[in-house]
Amino acid sequence: MTRAREQYGETTDAPGRAGAGGPCGAAGGREVTVTADGLPEWLTPVARAADTIEPRQLSRFLPPESGGRQSAVLILFGHGPRGPELLLMERAGTLRSHAGQPSFPGGALDPEDGDPDGRGPVRAALREAQEETGLDPRGVQVFGVLPRLYIPVSGFVVTPVLGWWREPSPVGAVDQAETARVFTVPVADLTNPGHRVTTRHPSGHIGPAFLVENALVWGFTAGVIDRILHYAGWEIPWDRDKHVPLDWRS
């Protein structure tokens, strides 16, 4: 991955949070690599798109020149009973930020994660995924890093980290106060036009959404999934005039 190798290096140097329950400690102190070598063939289009995609191809919300809280999310692809799938979680309804919303595992960078302009986001994405879902990061191959994006409502500057779940491990909600549930979504359901809708945020912004696994995936998470499907060549034409309210269960 050209962009990831230029910014983060083929291999990171010193481990991040060894012995502190973060991914580097759980991985026995091994270095976290960023490489697309050995990916399954079906993931090649995602890796190829990640290597060339520009920020404005992903979102119109880009980070400000200064400020914002540095964070990272893990976009983890696995292979389940119905083929390729994505790992998602549903945030607890009591949280102050993005309560009850399906999302990628992730969160803010800790000082121990390292430089936000270097290797920090990769470590943070793996650490947060482990803390939220119980994921064993030793089974994850990081194969790409997408450009930083911005979530205006919360002020987060988000680096999406792409992973291949080479060796799956049990996952579930580690802390019910933060995570309501952890689930996987087949890519076939995400590309199914019958599961695709749009939503309107109270701010007036209209964006893509997905009705999958008894959840409405919308906002930042849905926008990134939508762009990955598009640039990987997986998108199937769908009805963009089909709208659902954000309180769709009511």
Side-chain angles (χ1 to χ4, degrees), residues 44-199:
T44 300
V46 179
R48 186 166 49 240
D51 202 26
T52 59
I53 200 164
E54 298 297 329
R56 290 201 177 275
Q57 293 177 299
L58 285 173
S59 175
R60 67 185 180 92
F61 299 111
L62 302 183
E65 292 185 6
S66 62
R69 191 175 183 189
Q70 296 294 329
S71 63
V73 296
L74 180 64
I75 304 176
L76 184 60
F77 290 90
H79 196 281
R82 294 183 53 204
E85 60 186 16
L86 269 179
L87 179 71
L88 296 177
M89 51 175 274
E90 187 174 309
R91 296 169 59 82
T94 55
L95 292 175
R96 289 181 297 176
S97 179
H98 307 291
Q101 195 171 338
S103 68
F104 303 117
L109 269 67
D110 282 352
E112 295 90 341
D113 294 322
D115 187 358
D117 294 321
R119 305 165 179 90
V122 175
R123 294 194 185 106
L126 291 171
R127 174 184 56 76
E128 286 282 345
Q130 184 180 31
E131 292 176 358
E132 292 175 329
T133 74
L135 171 78
D136 186 346
R138 292 173 296 186
V140 176
Q141 175 183 337
V142 176
F143 68 89
V145 181
L146 297 178
R148 285 193 184 107
L149 303 174
Y150 188 57
I151 303 180
V153 67
S154 59
F156 278 103
V157 176
V158 186
T159 300
V161 175
L162 299 169
W164 157 233
W165 209 354
R166 181 177 291 280
E167 298 176 13
S169 54
V171 292
V174 174
D175 183 352
Q176 291 286 342
E178 294 188 0
T179 307
R181 64 173 174 138
V182 177
F183 58 102
T184 56
V185 180
V187 171
D189 286 351
L190 293 168
T191 59
N192 184 336
H195 296 164
R196 303 211 57 180
V197 296
T198 59
T199 59

